Amino acid sequence: MNLLTLLLFCALCGTGTALGMAVRRLRLQEQSMENAAARIREYLLDRRKGGIECNEEGAMYHLFHEVNSLVTIADAHADSERQAKEFLRDTISDISHQLKTPIAALNIYNGILQQEAADTATVQEFTALSEQELDRIESLVQNLLKMARLDAGAITLEQSPENLSELLEHIREQYSFRAEQEGKEINLEGDEQASLLCDRTWLTEAIGNLVKNALDHTEQGDRILVRWQQSPCLTQITVEDTGSGIHPEDLYHIFKRFYRSRFSKDTQGIGLGLPLAKSIIEAHRGSIEVHSEIMAGTTFIINFPIQMG
């Protein structure tokens, strides 16, 4: 075998080896693509979840990496949609349950009114009771609408600097008649020059709910103190009372919607005041916490970070 033939033979062997390796690599890539396609089909059929494994580098790796990113995003969206459906289902169930009691009461009262139409005292008594139940329904619906708007991000807070002393005095005046009728005190304490960047209407709603909650859980002779103070980075508002306190078992749950304690004597509340207050405060980038001691009172602490211009 001469030199030319030998070189030609070696070249053919090298080419054959290279072709063989190329074919083998193509087959491996084809197998990887088939596996990836199978994983994608399985994911779409929801038989199993997870990304596509790829130990290679280069374009194939980048392709699979992008597919895995899409899978992660799709999983997140699916979980979010599932949670939204569960929330809607639970909310509708809660609304239905909460409306049954006042509607059933109204039906009973109306039946009594029809039977006792000639008895003026009875008519007056059950007309007042009917009005009370209608007020509960209106309060329930209004609070649910407010919370739904907050949850959906459909509310734009109209924030402006508000004098805290004036804002909190307005809340005190709202509840002063009830406090006087029940033999309770509502006192204010804080710097009269302090101000807070907030939506006055919504913040009044939130703090007003805390004051109302304090009135609901105090007795004649008890006191409610609304106090505020500021530091260079924080505005703090506290609503504290000398009432019955919150049972330790309930502290973790009091901001849950429709939560009703088995220890509470409040039979009229619908369980939305505190969750609504929390949502409003958090919409202002604030936080709320609670400390309580049985038969010693409860303190709600609200913190708002100072917003730098």
Side-chain angles (χ1 to χ4, degrees), residues 64 101 137 153 191 301:
F64 287 178
T101 300
I137 293 175
D191 180 6
I301 304 170

PDB file of all heavy atoms in Angstrom, residues 64 101 137 153 191 301:
ATOM      1  N   PHE A  64     -34.242  24.410  26.632  1.00  0.00           N
ATOM      2  CA  PHE A  64     -34.906  23.731  27.740  1.00  0.00           C
ATOM      3  C   PHE A  64     -35.044  24.654  28.946  1.00  0.00           C
ATOM      4  O   PHE A  64     -36.024  24.579  29.687  1.00  0.00           O
ATOM      5  CB  PHE A  64     -34.134  22.467  28.117  1.00  0.00           C
ATOM      6  CG  PHE A  64     -34.280  21.350  27.114  1.00  0.00           C
ATOM      7  CD1 PHE A  64     -33.601  20.153  27.292  1.00  0.00           C
ATOM      8  CD2 PHE A  64     -35.086  21.497  25.994  1.00  0.00           C
ATOM      9  CE1 PHE A  64     -33.733  19.126  26.372  1.00  0.00           C
ATOM     10  CE2 PHE A  64     -35.216  20.477  25.069  1.00  0.00           C
ATOM     11  CZ  PHE A  64     -34.539  19.281  25.258  1.00  0.00           C
ATOM     12  N   THR A 101     -78.939  34.329  58.984  1.00  0.00           N
ATOM     13  CA  THR A 101     -79.458  34.670  60.315  1.00  0.00           C
ATOM     14  C   THR A 101     -80.360  35.902  60.290  1.00  0.00           C
ATOM     15  O   THR A 101     -81.509  35.837  60.763  1.00  0.00           O
ATOM     16  CB  THR A 101     -78.302  34.864  61.304  1.00  0.00           C
ATOM     17  OG1 THR A 101     -77.557  33.645  61.383  1.00  0.00           O
ATOM     18  CG2 THR A 101     -78.823  35.223  62.687  1.00  0.00           C
ATOM     19  N   ILE A 137     -77.569  43.677  57.764  1.00  0.00           N
ATOM     20  CA  ILE A 137     -77.388  43.269  56.364  1.00  0.00           C
ATOM     21  C   ILE A 137     -76.669  44.361  55.582  1.00  0.00           C
ATOM     22  O   ILE A 137     -75.744  44.095  54.806  1.00  0.00           O
ATOM     23  CB  ILE A 137     -78.753  42.942  55.721  1.00  0.00           C
ATOM     24  CG1 ILE A 137     -79.355  41.694  56.363  1.00  0.00           C
ATOM     25  CG2 ILE A 137     -78.608  42.755  54.216  1.00  0.00           C
ATOM     26  CD1 ILE A 137     -80.751  41.372  55.886  1.00  0.00           C
ATOM     27  N   GLY A 153     -57.577  45.693  44.273  1.00  0.00           N
ATOM     28  CA  GLY A 153     -56.737  46.834  43.916  1.00  0.00           C
ATOM     29  C   GLY A 153     -57.493  47.894  43.142  1.00  0.00           C
ATOM     30  O   GLY A 153     -56.912  48.649  42.356  1.00  0.00           O
ATOM     31  N   ASP A 191     -49.389  64.491  70.208  1.00  0.00           N
ATOM     32  CA  ASP A 191     -48.922  65.785  69.730  1.00  0.00           C
ATOM     33  C   ASP A 191     -49.950  66.391  68.782  1.00  0.00           C
ATOM     34  O   ASP A 191     -50.278  65.808  67.752  1.00  0.00           O
ATOM     35  CB  ASP A 191     -47.573  65.604  69.018  1.00  0.00           C
ATOM     36  CG  ASP A 191     -47.016  66.916  68.488  1.00  0.00           C
ATOM     37  OD1 ASP A 191     -47.609  67.991  68.754  1.00  0.00           O
ATOM     38  OD2 ASP A 191     -45.978  66.870  67.798  1.00  0.00           O
ATOM     39  N   ILE A 301     -51.873  48.183  68.027  1.00  0.00           N
ATOM     40  CA  ILE A 301     -50.751  49.067  67.702  1.00  0.00           C
ATOM     41  C   ILE A 301     -50.607  49.151  66.183  1.00  0.00           C
ATOM     42  O   ILE A 301     -50.422  48.129  65.505  1.00  0.00           O
ATOM     43  CB  ILE A 301     -49.437  48.550  68.329  1.00  0.00           C
ATOM     44  CG1 ILE A 301     -49.598  48.395  69.843  1.00  0.00           C
ATOM     45  CG2 ILE A 301     -48.286  49.482  67.999  1.00  0.00           C
ATOM     46  CD1 ILE A 301     -48.427  47.675  70.495  1.00  0.00           C
TER      47      ILE A 301
END
